[in-house]
Amino acid sequence: GRIHSFESMGLVDGPGIRGVVFMQGCALRCAYCHNPDTWACEGGERMTPQALVSMLSRYKTYYASSGGGVTFSGGEPLMQPEFLLESLRLCKVAGIHTCLDTAGVGLGEYDEILRYTDLVLYDVKHVTPQGYAQITGRPMEETLRFVEALRQAQTRVWVRHVVVPGLTDGEAHLRALADYVE
């Protein structure tokens, strides 16, 4: 897989102290992206799932003491589905809590990935097809397919949403967001 970077003391990307793996590659081009350097699918450090989980396992004491674990972020981790799946599986074997920080737009099927995911931080970009396309540059169908996979898997989800003045901060939008989440 291609790893953009790693944070060993993440405190806002899931419960407890977390190792955060920022993966390379994203199909979206969000107007307010805070990691545009992760968009390209090439670049980053090449790593095997075994090497990554071996490195992550060194921090298990910190994870365990705080109810934390590992969060796969990006970019979009679902852009590297085979690597992500094997990394998640190896984390579970090692007894490490797994979290997926995603906008739900990737390659491949999601069912197997969600089987090894304890928590999804689902980034809702927008709740209407027009607004979604305006923000991301892509149609909304793939993220809706991911949401359906989440429903089927019954994976625990924390919804995240970026509030942008003039774009996603209106009362009508926030009410529609509440309906979407429901």
Side-chain angles (χ1 to χ4, degrees), residues 114-133:
L114 293 173
R115 195 168 82 158
Y116 294 100
T117 303
D118 295 311
L119 174 67
V120 170
L121 304 180
Y122 176 57
D123 184 5
V124 177
K125 300 297 183 180
H126 204 281
V127 297
T128 68
Q130 180 183 2
Y132 187 91

Side-chain angles (χ1 to χ4, degrees), residues 12-168:
V12 296
D13 296 298
I17 297 171
R18 307 200 68 82
V20 184
V21 179
F22 294 92
M23 296 175 64
Q24 201 65 48
C26 187
L28 303 180
R29 295 297 179 260
C30 297
Y32 50 76
C33 180
H34 67 283
N35 288 337
D37 50 328
T38 64
W39 286 353
C41 291
E42 61 280 344
E45 179 182 348
R46 296 208 43 124
M47 199 172 234
T48 66
Q50 294 79 9
L52 176 63
V53 175
S54 176
M55 179 193 74
L56 294 169
S57 292
R58 289 184 274 171
Y59 301 94
K60 266 181 79 170
T61 304
Y62 296 108
Y63 307 151
S65 69
S66 69
V70 173
T71 298
F72 291 89
S73 189
E76 173 56 70
L78 294 172
M79 293 296 292
Q80 298 185 56
E82 296 86 9
F83 176 81
L84 176 62
L85 174 60
E86 184 62 9
S87 298
L88 288 165
R89 190 188 69 72
L90 291 172
C91 282
K92 297 309 294 173
V93 168
I96 299 172
H97 181 274
T98 59
C99 183
L100 179 61
D101 183 3
T102 181
V105 178
L107 306 172
E109 294 299 316
Y110 304 123
D111 300 340
E112 194 72 10
I113 286 170
L114 293 173
R115 195 168 82 158
Y116 294 100
T117 303
D118 295 311
L119 174 67
V120 170
L121 304 180
Y122 176 57
D123 184 5
V124 177
K125 300 297 183 180
H126 204 281
V127 297
T128 68
Q130 180 183 2
Y132 187 91
Q134 178 186 0
I135 289 172
T136 69
R138 298 277 307 243
M140 195 172 184
E141 286 77 19
E142 187 62 24
T143 196
L144 294 176
R145 196 166 75 81
F146 179 76
V147 168
E148 184 54 35
L150 275 174
R151 281 191 189 115
Q152 294 298 318
Q154 297 184 350
T155 304
R156 190 169 165 223
V157 179
W158 289 1
V159 173
R160 305 210 294 184
H161 182 65
V162 177
V163 177
V164 179
L167 191 59
T168 60

